[in-house]
Amino acid sequence: MSVLFVSNEENREDWLREIRAAAPEFQFLTADEVDDPSDVEFAVVARIGRGGLGGYPRLRAILSMWAGVEHLLADPALPPRIPIIRMVEPSLTRGMVEYVCCHVLNILLRTDCYPVKGWYHPQKRQPRFACGFPVGVMGVGVLGGACATALRQLGFPVNGWNRTPKKMPGIEMYSGAGEFDVFLNRSQVLVLLLPNTPETRAILNARSLRQLPPGASIINAGRGELIDDQSLLDVLEQGHLEKAVLDVFSTEPLPDDHPFRGHPKIIVTPHVASITNPKTAADVLSVNLRKLRDHEAVWPVVDRDRGY
Ligand SMILES: NC(=O)c1ccc[n+]([C@@H]2O[C@H](COP(=O)([O-])OP(=O)(O)OC[C@H]3O[C@@H](n4cnc5c(N)ncnc54)[C@H](OP(=O)(O)O)[C@@H]3O)[C@@H](O)[C@H]2O)c1
């Protein structure tokens, strides 16, 4: 059974080696290696070029190597109706928990002030404690849920905001537009882990950023499109926000002359908050391929109308 493999990532050879080892009963082929397109039943893909999945008449499912799938949905030539399965794998989740907890703790402890302030660090004069420093997680899905749980275990009061109502032990949950402002008002650090959809684009804008308490900070590990860049610069420069940690940007790589670069209140990381690990992801892909081959249910299937 043939599986089309589409990736231009630097570590594509690692991926191929790992998935071939994890699922030896499938034949993984790059587009150049496919002799008969009607043999291809599944596609394992990172980024595809426009129309890159056209011309495979028996394609039954698309398995994404990434958690975010908006780049796939943006292709008007994407084969309709067949399921798209997002990547959920333990290393990706673990990496995001480490990134988010690291930056929330850095913000709480103002660690980046030490080199500037020396002995008279503000933490020494006005200590801040996790128990009095509420963190809001926007998008309490696979990644946001794991981050919310870890932050709670570190002693932070945690608020979560979702599209639909959800309960999570120890987390104060909010949902929908009606509870958005209350959620923001109560979040001293805001962690963005929403997908990029028509509903979430520029969800942090001049109005919503001002709903955060004075001196709040944000961490964006979701997608750059969630934030209106100029509004963020304005609230930082006007002193309403203390800090922004940004891993994702509307244009990537972030242009050299972008005002986020070198900004004294912004930390930029180059879309590295969490990265799929080919080894652990190959195990997930092999399980899902076998289920799909046997016509069993797989998870999580993207809702194309919702956009994630
Ligand atoms: N920076 C990185 O390195 C990196 C790595 C991996 C992923 N990511 C990003 O992280 C995102 C989240 O991944 P995930 O696996 O956690 O996704 P997920 O499990 O699908 O979770 C998405 C969450 O967002 C919520 N949501 C979606 N639209 C919303 C809206 N309009 N209003 C309020 N809440 C909304 C969903 O709420 P409901 O459940 O109520 O629908 C869900 O809880 C990905 O889409 C990707 O963009 C970034």
Side-chain angles (χ1 to χ4, degrees), residues 174-248:
Y174 301 82
S175 64
E179 294 180 350
F180 187 38
D181 286 359
V182 187
F183 160 78
L184 292 174
N185 295 162
R186 295 180 181 169
S187 301
Q188 195 62 39
V189 180
L190 186 69
V191 177
L192 284 89
L193 278 168
L194 290 168
N196 172 14
T197 72
E199 271 188 44
T200 62
R201 246 156 254 158
I203 195 162
L204 276 199
N205 49 43
R207 192 206 71 80
S208 54
L209 281 163
R210 297 211 158 272
Q211 300 304 313
L212 288 163
S217 295
I218 68 164
I219 299 171
N220 186 11
R223 283 292 182 262
E225 289 82 352
L226 303 175
I227 300 179
D228 177 63
D229 290 1
Q230 188 55 52
S231 301
L232 175 60
L233 288 164
D234 291 346
V235 287
L236 284 167
E237 277 155 27
Q238 290 155 10
H240 185 67
L241 290 197
E242 182 178 283
K243 180 171 284 293
V245 177
L246 307 174
D247 184 57
V248 282

Side-chain angles (χ1 to χ4, degrees), residues 86 140-143 161-164 199 221 223 247 274 308:
R86 287 190 324 111
V140 193
V142 173
L143 301 178
W161 186 71
N162 260 7
R163 194 177 52 85
T164 53
E199 271 188 44
R223 283 292 182 262
D247 184 57
S274 190
Y308 64 100

Side-chain angles (χ1 to χ4, degrees), residues 5-20 29-33 46 65 278:
F5 175 85
V6 186
S7 169
N8 289 322
E9 301 296 296
E10 281 169 20
N11 61 352
R12 62 198 295 278
E13 293 306 324
D14 297 338
W15 272 96
L16 269 173
R17 190 183 59 249
E18 295 296 346
I19 51 176
R20 281 177 172 145
L29 301 169
T30 61
D32 295 344
E33 292 168 337
M65 292 154 72

